[in-house]
Amino acid sequence: MARSKNMMSRAFLLVMSISQLALSLSLSSHVPTAAILALSLVPFPLAAADEADATADATADAANAEECTEPGTCSSDDSDTETASTAVDDTSSESQETNNSEEESTESSEPRATTGPTGNRLIFAEELATHIGEGGASPSNPIWLSILGKVYDVTTGEDFYGAEKGGYRFYSGRDASPCFSTGNNTPEGADENLDEWEDKKLIAAYEWSVFYEDHETYQYLGDFAGSKYFDAQGNELDYRKNIVSRSKEAKKIMDEEKERKKAERIKARKERKAENERKAREKANQNKK
């Protein structure tokens, strides 16, 4: 609007100047009246053209202003577009991080299960680790150990598992199942992958688990949840199922082999006895003669 007023002022001044020029020429009588009229009309087309140009410029400015209402649509500097795009990306990233944090917070705030699907008590690593009978074992300061994911109270075996003097104290407060077979009582030994062992090597650990299960004073407490044997909800994992299944089968084969060898020994012993008795009878008969 201001630009249009300026153009009209310029046109008005131009018209006045030409009118004065025409008046001078008329008085001098050197220029025809028609020419004077033509000259006096020239400013009007010029003014109209300038006003049209101003209107076009205003329309373009309005179009540009409307075009830049959305990020990335302005035809100006590319850096502005990149900045807007980056801002959108940053906002999206922050929103994603916030969502992830909320999900993690929700997961971590969920209470742990206390019993498994079979009703067994669930015991986690941090609880197991605190029960080593340090300072003297007692019913209020028990000793726990886990073998193949089954947790037992072995407080009555303080002489073996006590924190101060027990020769097997390494087994307290943890699951060291591989060590029952190898005797490698170290964290590395406890972390060995039983799945990679030969079946025969698994038998010792399995027999020890049966020993604790059948013991007169050691008590079964629950399952080692969140371990390689049971998940956090107390479901038995395929890893343990496979180990136990292979161990049982290997033990069965071993027991059958033992029975076969035992039967052979008994048979051989009977045969030797029978042979010795036969020889004794023959000798007795010869003495009678």
Side-chain angles (χ1 to χ4, degrees), residues 3-5 7-8 10-11 43-61:
R3 185 174 179 180
S4 176
K5 289 181 178 180
M7 295 301 298
M8 292 178 65
R10 289 170 54 195
F44 292 103
L46 293 176
D50 287 341
E51 185 173 359
D53 291 340
T55 303
D57 292 340
T59 302
D61 291 341

Side-chain angles (χ1 to χ4, degrees), residues 60 86-87 155-156 175-176 200:
T86 302
T155 305
T156 57
D175 191 301
K200 288 184 178 180

Side-chain angles (χ1 to χ4, degrees), residues 202-203 206 242-252:
L202 296 171
I203 295 175
Y206 174 73
N242 184 47
I243 297 302
V244 172
S245 176
R246 290 172 55 200
S247 299
K248 286 182 176 180
E249 184 63 24
K251 187 177 186 305
K252 178 182 177 182

Side-chain angles (χ1 to χ4, degrees), residues 30-84:
H30 294 296
V31 180
T33 303
I36 294 173
L37 291 175
L39 286 173
S40 65
L41 293 175
V42 168
F44 292 103
L46 293 176
D50 287 341
E51 185 173 359
D53 291 340
T55 303
D57 292 340
T59 302
D61 291 341
N64 288 337
E66 183 178 0
E67 186 180 11
C68 292
T69 56
E70 296 294 335
T73 59
C74 297
S75 57
S76 58
D77 189 7
D78 290 340
S79 62
D80 293 338
T81 301
E82 293 176 359
T83 302

Side-chain angles (χ1 to χ4, degrees), residues 194-223:
L194 296 177
D195 238 358
E196 298 176 352
W197 285 12
E198 294 181 354
D199 292 353
K200 288 184 178 180
K201 193 176 179 180
L202 296 171
I203 295 175
Y206 174 73
E207 287 181 330
W208 273 104
S209 71
V210 175
F211 165 80
Y212 289 106
E213 183 178 354
D214 296 338
H215 200 276
E216 293 180 357
T217 60
Y218 298 161
Q219 298 179 355
Y220 166 71
L221 299 175
D223 298 335

Side-chain angles (χ1 to χ4, degrees), residues 86-98:
T86 302
V88 172
D89 292 341
D90 290 343
T91 303
S92 177
S93 299
E94 291 176 0
S95 176
Q96 183 65 33
E97 292 175 359
T98 301

